[in-house]
Amino acid sequence: AVRAVSSFNFRSLRQAVVDLSATFRERYPRGKEFASKLDELEASSARVLAMGGDRGSAFASQFRALAAELNRLRAEALLANPLLDFDRLVVVKRATDAGTQRLGRPSDFYGHFPFFTAYGRELALPQNHFSLAGVRQTGWDNEIAILTPVRPDGRLATLYRPAGSEYVGEVELHWDAGRLLFSMARAGRYGVYEIHTNGTGLRQVTPDDQPDVDNFDATYLPNGKVLFCGTASYQSVPCWNGLHAVPNLYSINPDASGMRQLTFDQDEAGSPTMLNTGQVLYSRWQYTNTTHVYGHILFQMNPDGTGQREFYGSNSYWPNGLYFARPVPEHPSRVATILSGYHGDHRMGELLVLDTAKGRYGETGVVQRIPGYGRAVEPRIEDRLTSGSWPKFLHPYPLSDKYFLVSAKVAPEANWSVYLVDVFDNML
């Protein structure tokens, strides 16, 4: 309780309350009430912290009561954000792999899913071999779930759980929120599947007629097609002598016809999503004109594969790698993304907001690191860039240019959880 009171960030919460009041006005009707209560609790905290001396039961009781009030006020003020005015949240619920803490995320320095060859022969490895890439097909305790209501005390209900222990993940919600895409392992390969958000209508989107091709990590295109990652081109990582396949991007019609390869990259193209401009944003593993440790940059292209060019990070030694980028709503050039190293973290790391109108190289386009309000982001040229950085983040989902939903692990001993974070350094 003493730690909770003495470390409470009054500045961050006050800035959020002021911003929400100014931005949403009548849609955030309790703003003045929250601000007044925060001033009152800050004065009370200062008085109690200054008491010192007496550490008896009355002193402890005061701290416990103050800590409870502060936590309650923070939750009420932040959850009253009108951007959270929706009833259900789709999440992936997965038990932590105790041995690796990888949670089904591949290493930064391998292709997304493993494929083994050796001089034209398949390697004699167990079907469920964990592999250096870190993503096995089975052995997972995971499901797609719905959180209702979208609150810390909400309940999780299963939307889809595989019949066995197959991997499920990489969820992408349709524009109308009536269905979603996800990746799942079946019969020894990965495929893209679709299901309605009421749990009906499960179907496989990508073909499974090739026993040595994986398809995964898909997104919807505005023209009705589906864009996904696939290994049908048999592209592989040069520094591993072809032992690891890497994906390129493909599109396919809703009825699973007309599959077409869109990228032809040497190393990897992944994590596709739609920009507000109508273009596709994706991560590209690029060895050209830079050393291999600093080669995961953001690219953009038209939905038909034309017009491929850099979006952020070309010819930069920092950032090492940018993953899971998503556009800020109603903004033409701003995205939220995860900064990670090369070796070390598995595509998890620090949460950044970038703006290509501000810059496209190194730290020039960084709007902010979260948390990190008011602090400049200093680039570090280092391989394991975020290994010692906490909290760690995955899969940001911007609600606006200031408020975000994101998966976070706040400390080495903590679980991964879904957080509401903002540019003022609040995390709930």
Side-chain angles (χ1 to χ4, degrees):
V2 172
R3 280 198 302 271
V5 173
S6 59
S7 64
F8 192 85
N9 196 330
F10 291 93
R11 187 267 309 162
S12 292
L13 184 55
R14 181 173 287 106
Q15 286 178 310
V17 169
V18 170
D19 177 73
L20 290 168
S21 297
T23 302
F24 296 105
R25 300 183 182 276
E26 66 276 1
R27 294 177 61 198
Y28 192 71
R30 298 179 64 191
K32 289 184 179 180
E33 173 192 339
F34 293 143
S36 176
K37 185 65 175 177
L38 185 62
D39 290 341
E40 175 188 326
L41 290 177
E42 185 172 26
S44 297
S45 298
R47 284 195 300 271
V48 175
L49 288 169
M51 285 172 56
D54 181 14
R55 301 286 174 172
S57 58
F59 181 85
S61 179
Q62 283 183 295
F63 268 103
R64 282 195 295 269
L66 262 177
E69 281 197 83
L70 287 169
N71 288 331
R72 184 164 50 250
L73 176 62
R74 180 176 60 180
E76 288 182 359
L78 296 178
L79 292 174
N81 188 331
L83 296 171
L84 287 176
D85 186 21
F86 53 90
D87 300 322
R88 299 185 297 161
L89 180 68
V90 181
V91 301
V92 173
K93 178 183 175 183
R94 180 176 297 129
T96 303
D97 187 293
T100 65
Q101 300 285 306
R102 291 175 184 176
L103 288 176
R105 298 270 35 100
S107 300
D108 296 350
F109 54 97
Y110 292 107
H112 196 114
F113 290 103
F115 172 72
F116 298 88
T117 59
Y119 306 106
R121 294 177 291 108
E122 186 172 352
L123 290 180
L125 293 172
Q127 180 180 1
N128 295 329
H129 182 73
F130 201 89
S131 92
L132 294 174
V135 181
R136 58 177 181 250
Q137 297 165 6
T138 61
W140 298 102
D141 177 7
N142 58 189
E143 64 181 45
I144 300 171
I146 303 288
L147 177 68
T148 309
V150 187
R151 295 291 186 269
D153 58 353
R155 293 190 176 186
L156 283 171
T158 300
L159 172 66
Y160 177 77
R161 186 175 182 87
S165 60
E166 296 90 350
Y167 171 94
V168 291
E170 297 172 321
V171 172
E172 185 71 21
L173 195 63
H174 189 264
W175 322 108
D176 65 9
R179 50 199 163 109
L180 56 86
L181 298 168
F182 66 98
S183 304
M184 181 168 61
R186 271 188 179 178
R189 308 314 301 179
Y190 289 91
V192 174
Y193 293 79
E194 185 181 60
I195 192 171
H196 294 146
T197 50
N198 63 6
T200 65
L202 177 68
R203 71 181 187 95
Q204 186 168 344
V205 176
T206 53
D208 60 359
D209 56 339
Q210 302 299 318
D212 53 1
V213 172
D214 290 306
N215 300 307
F216 47 88
D217 197 5
T219 191
Y220 291 102
L221 294 176
N223 61 8
K225 293 186 177 183
V226 170
L227 190 148
F228 63 94
C229 303
T231 61
S233 62
Y234 296 97
Q235 196 63 44
S236 57
V237 182
C239 60
W240 278 96
N241 303 315
L243 291 178
H244 281 276
V246 290
N248 273 288
L249 297 180
Y250 298 79
S251 65
I252 198 168
N253 293 322
D255 62 359
S257 67
M259 179 173 165
R260 180 187 178 199
Q261 185 172 349
L262 302 181
T263 65
F264 297 81
D265 296 325
Q266 172 184 276
D267 298 292
E268 181 182 17
S271 298
T273 192
M274 291 302 302
L275 286 168
N276 297 327
T277 59
Q279 294 178 301
V280 175
L281 177 67
Y282 61 100
S283 294
R284 175 172 167 171
W285 189 353
Q286 174 63 276
Y287 273 172
T288 306
N289 293 332
T290 188
T291 59
H292 68 284
V293 174
Y294 310 99
H296 289 73
I297 63 179
L298 294 179
F299 250 63
Q300 60 187 327
M301 67 177 181
N302 297 324
D304 63 356
T306 61
Q308 295 180 18
R309 63 188 179 92
E310 60 88 28
F311 181 84
Y312 197 94
S314 181
N315 293 317
S316 300
Y317 282 99
W318 185 97
N320 300 35
L322 297 171
Y323 303 99
F324 312 119
R326 281 189 181 270
V328 167
E330 302 179 3
H331 199 289
S333 57
R334 191 166 291 189
V335 300
T337 187
I338 301 300
L339 165 69
S340 189
Y342 184 70
H343 300 96
D345 290 332
H346 288 237
R347 309 194 182 196
M348 58 189 73
E350 298 174 357
L351 177 58
L352 291 183
V353 180
L354 303 176
D355 192 342
T356 57
K358 183 180 178 184
R360 293 180 180 269
Y361 178 89
E363 75 278 18
T364 61
V366 176
V367 176
Q368 186 175 339
R369 177 190 286 132
I370 300 174
Y373 180 82
R375 300 197 298 270
V377 174
E378 299 293 336
R380 298 196 328 273
I381 311 304
E382 182 180 332
D383 180 3
R384 300 176 182 269
L385 185 63
T386 61
S387 292
S389 176
W390 298 95
K392 295 193 190 302
F393 296 96
L394 274 172
H395 305 300
Y397 201 100
L399 301 174
S400 73
D401 61 342
K402 298 176 183 176
Y403 302 94
F404 310 82
L405 292 175
V406 66
S407 296
K409 183 180 176 72
V410 296
E413 67 278 5
N415 288 326
W416 284 92
S417 300
V418 176
Y419 282 78
L420 172 66
V421 304
D422 60 41
V423 295
F424 309 112
D425 292 349
N426 294 292
M427 292 187 64
L428 180 67

